[in-house]
Amino acid sequence: MYKLLVLCFASMALAACSSQTRTMSDDERRADVLLMASVDALGRRDYTQALRSLLDALKYDPKSAIIWTNLGVAYAGKNEPQKAEECWKKALQLDPKHNDARLNLGILYSGKKKYPEAEKVLKEASKDIAYPKLDQVSYHLANMYLALGKNLLAEQQLKVAVRENKG
C-alpha cells in the first residue's frame, strides 16, 4: 500500500519548486536544491537517499510544507507509516491549505481502515475546487466507500473522478 502511495506523489514537489516567484534566500535555495534531489531519489524509489536529502533540506527550511510532505512520502516508502503521518500532519500545521499532505494522509488512513479519519481529510481536500488532484481525491473516496459497502457514494465519487480527470 505504501509503495502505491509513493508512486502517486513522488513528483509533486518538482512542480512546486519550479513555480516559486519570489526571491529566495541562500538557505531556501539550498533547501530547494536538496528538495529537487529528493524528488529524483523518490522517482527512483531510493527512499534512503530521499530521506537524507529531505532531512538536510529541513535544516535550511524547516517551515516548508512541501519538504515535510515529501519527507512523509519517503517514510511511507520505507514502510514507516507513523513517521509519514507525523510529517503530513506537520505539513498541514505549517500550511493548512497544503492538500498534497491531506491527500497522502487520507490514503494512509484508508489503508489502515481508519475510514472516518480518511473521509474527513479527503472531503476537506475536495473542497478546494482549484486543487489539481481532485480526481485522485474522489478516486480514493470511492475506494473507501466501496470498502464500506456504500456503493452509491462510491459511484458518485467515481463519476466526479472521471469528470475531474477530463478537465
Side-chain angles (χ1 to χ4, degrees), residues 21-41:
T21 55
R22 64 178 180 78
T23 304
M24 297 171 68
S25 70
D26 287 344
D27 281 351
E28 288 172 323
R29 279 194 292 278
R30 287 181 186 102
D32 197 49
V33 168
L34 289 162
L35 177 60
M36 290 193 306
S38 76
V39 170
D40 180 60

Side-chain angles (χ1 to χ4, degrees), residues 11 29 50-51 61-62 71 74 82 87 101 114 118 121 131 138 142 149 159 163:
S11 64
R29 279 194 292 278
L51 281 170
D61 193 1
L71 186 59
Q82 185 63 39
C87 290
K114 292 182 171 184
V121 295
Y131 183 48
S138 294
K159 286 178 181 178
R163 184 179 67 238

Side-chain angles (χ1 to χ4, degrees), residues 119 142 144-155:
E119 183 177 35
M144 181 195 66
Y145 289 139
L146 282 174
L148 292 170
K150 297 181 178 183
N151 295 339
L152 184 56
L153 288 172
E155 182 181 350

